[in-house]
Amino acid sequence: MKQYGLIDKKILFDNSLSLEAKGVYGLMMSFDSEIVNVEEIYNYSSEDKEVIDRAVQELQAHGYVFIEK
């Protein structure tokens, strides 16, 4: 796994996003792949799955992530 991730400042300064969503996005950007399985995020967080799911839905609603099923 790479030692850094790049995060667009637009997301960090978007005051319509919660800190949870910004944190989840930051974690997503640290992965080596453009495709991230939500299970990976669960494994790297102390938050409940519901918190992660809510943050991912928030990011999706604002157009920052796309979910494939």
Side-chain angles (χ1 to χ4, degrees):
M1 183 176 284
K2 62 187 176 186
Q3 299 298 311
Y4 61 90
L6 297 176
I7 301 173
D8 188 338
K9 285 185 180 181
K10 174 182 165 186
I11 291 159
L12 295 177
F13 293 111
D14 185 341
N15 63 1
S16 67
L17 288 177
S18 68
L19 286 175
E20 290 170 348
K22 292 174 185 182
V24 167
Y25 188 84
L27 184 56
M28 287 177 169
M29 293 299 101
S30 72
F31 289 110
D32 293 332
S33 174
E34 289 184 16
I35 299 173
V36 178
N37 186 324
V38 74
E39 293 291 329
E40 291 179 277
I41 299 169
Y42 297 154
N43 292 333
Y44 287 102
S45 175
S46 64
E47 300 293 339
D48 292 333
K49 290 181 179 182
E50 293 80 21
V51 173
I52 304 299
D53 291 342
R54 186 173 55 240
V56 171
Q57 290 171 356
E58 183 179 347
L59 290 166
Q60 182 184 22
H62 285 87
Y64 290 116
V65 299
F66 301 96
I67 297 175
E68 290 184 12
K69 294 184 180 186

